[in-house]
C-alpha cells in the first residue's frame, strides 16, 4: 500500500478502518473503561472519514455518504447537548444508511468495473465486514424498541452494547450459532434468519463472481 489512498489501495484502508471499529467496541469488556461511548463515537467518526476518502472516486455516492455523515455529526452533537434517549435511534439509523451506502458503492466498484486485483479481493472482505456491521446496527435498533427481543443482550446505550451486537451478528452471519444470544421476538427472529441467508448467499455469489472474473481475466491474458 502507498501512503496516499488511491483507487489501487482504497479497500485496504477501508477494511482496516472497519476492523478497528469492530475491535474498539470490545474495549469496555477488555479494559473496563468508563467512557466507551465517547471512544466508539470517535472511532466511528474516523471510520466515516476513511470510508469517504476511500470512496471519493465514486462521485455520486460520495456526495450522498458525505451528507449522511454530516447529519450523523449534527445529531450526535445535539444528543451530547440535549441527552434525549430517542436520539440513539436516529444515530443508529444514520449509521445504517451510511454503511449501506458504503456497501453499495463497494459492490459497484468491485463487481462492475475493471479487472480483479488484490485491492478488490480485500474489498470483498470489507463487504463481508459491512454486512455484519449493518446487521449489528439493526439488532441495536431492535433493542431500542424492544428491551426483551434477545436473550443474552439487555437494553443499554448503543455504545455499550455494540460489542455484543457485533459478536452476535458475525456468529449469525457465519452460521455458527453458539446459542449464548438468541432472538425471542418475531421481528428479531426474522432479521436473524435473514442475516444467516445473506451470509450463505454472500459466499455463493460475491466470492464466485470474483473467482469467475479472475479466471476470465486469466484466459484473456493467456489468449
Amino acid at each position: 500500500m502507498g501512503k496516499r489512498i488511491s483507487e489501487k489501495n482504497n479497500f485496504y484502508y477501508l477494511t482496516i478502518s472497519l476492523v478497528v471499529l469492530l475491535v474498539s467496541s470490545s474495549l469496555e469488556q477488555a479494559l473496563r473503561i468508563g467512557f466507551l461511548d465517547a471512544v466508539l463515537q470517535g472511532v466511528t467518526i474516523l471510520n466515516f472519514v476513511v470510508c469517504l476518502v476511500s470512496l471519493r472516486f465514486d462521485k455520486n455516492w460520495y456526495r450522498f455518504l458525505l451528507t449522511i455523515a454530516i447529519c450523523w455529526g449534527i445529531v450526535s452533537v445535539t444528543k451530547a447537548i440535549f441527552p434525549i434517549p430517542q436520539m440513539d435511534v436516529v444515530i443508529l439509523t444514520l449509521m445504517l444508511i451510511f454503511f449501506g451506502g458504503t456497501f453499495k458503492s463497494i459492490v459497484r466498484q468491485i463487481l462492475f468495473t475493471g479487472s480483479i486485483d488484490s485491492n478488490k479481493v480485500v474489498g470483498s472482505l470489507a463487504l463481508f465486514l459491512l454486512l455484519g456491521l449493518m446487521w449489528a446496527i439493526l439488532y441495536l435498533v431492535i433493542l431500542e424498541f424492544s428491551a426483551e427481543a434477545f436473550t443474552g443482550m439487555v437494553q443499554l446505550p448503543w455504545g455499550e452494547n455494540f460489542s455484543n451486537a457485533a459478536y452476535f451478528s458475525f456468529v449469525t452471519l457465519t452460521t455458527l450459532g453458539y446459542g449464548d444470544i438468541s432472538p425471542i421476538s418475531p421481528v428479531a427472529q426474522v432479521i436473524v434468519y435473514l442475516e444467516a441467508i445473506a451470509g450463505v448467499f454472500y459466499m455463493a455469489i460475491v466470492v464466485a463472481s470474483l473467482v469467475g472474473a479472475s479466471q476470465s481475466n486469466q484466459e484473456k491474458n493467456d489468449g
Side-chain angles (χ1 to χ4, degrees):
M1 291 189 298
K3 292 183 179 180
R4 297 184 61 182
I5 299 179
S6 68
E7 289 184 276
K8 294 182 179 180
N9 62 22
N10 57 335
F11 296 133
Y12 284 94
Y13 288 96
L14 197 152
T15 301
I16 291 172
S17 72
L18 290 172
V19 171
V20 170
L21 176 61
L22 292 169
V23 171
S24 67
S25 67
S26 64
L27 286 176
E28 184 183 41
Q29 287 77 11
L31 303 177
R32 301 295 179 184
I33 59 178
F35 48 92
L36 178 65
D37 195 52
V39 172
L40 192 56
Q41 287 201 26
V43 175
T44 302
I45 292 172
L46 176 62
N47 190 266
F48 282 179
V49 171
V50 174
C51 286
L52 288 169
V53 175
S54 299
L55 300 178
R56 70 186 186 278
F57 311 105
D58 189 349
K59 300 298 183 182
N60 292 330
W61 279 104
Y62 173 79
R63 288 191 289 269
F64 171 76
L65 293 176
L66 180 60
T67 301
I68 297 299
I70 292 173
C71 291
W72 184 89
I74 293 172
V75 174
S76 296
V77 171
T78 303
K79 186 200 169 188
I81 300 173
F82 306 102
I84 304 172
Q86 291 76 11
M87 296 292 284
D88 279 346
V89 176
V90 180
I91 290 173
L92 290 170
T93 301
L94 289 171
M95 288 176 66
L96 183 61
I97 295 172
F98 181 89
F99 289 121
T102 300
F103 184 90
K104 185 167 184 178
S105 178
I106 295 175
V107 167
R108 284 155 53 98
Q109 294 182 54
I110 289 179
L111 300 182
F112 304 113
T113 58
S115 58
I116 300 301
D117 55 20
S118 61
N119 186 47
K120 290 187 176 181
V121 172
V122 173
S124 68
L125 174 58
L127 286 178
F128 188 79
L129 295 176
L130 282 167
L131 273 179
L133 182 59
M134 287 187 293
W135 253 278
I137 295 172
L138 277 175
Y139 298 144
L140 292 172
V141 172
I142 291 173
L143 279 173
E144 290 291 329
F145 291 99
S146 177
E148 299 180 354
F150 299 90
T151 61
M153 273 200 296
V154 297
Q155 192 179 60
L156 296 169
W158 74 269
E160 297 178 26
N161 231 359
F162 190 88
S163 177
N164 291 326
Y167 160 75
F168 176 64
S169 177
F170 282 99
V171 166
T172 303
L173 189 63
T174 54
T175 65
L176 288 174
Y178 289 130
D180 49 346
I181 300 175
S182 302
I184 298 177
S185 72
V187 173
Q189 290 172 348
V190 170
I191 299 300
V192 167
Y193 74 65
L194 286 177
E195 181 177 18
I197 293 171
V200 172
F201 269 83
Y202 179 86
M203 298 301 295
I205 295 175
V206 176
V207 175
S209 298
L210 289 173
V211 172
S214 178
Q215 290 177 344
S216 177
N217 291 336
Q218 186 64 40
E219 290 174 0
K220 288 180 181 180
N221 293 332
D222 292 342

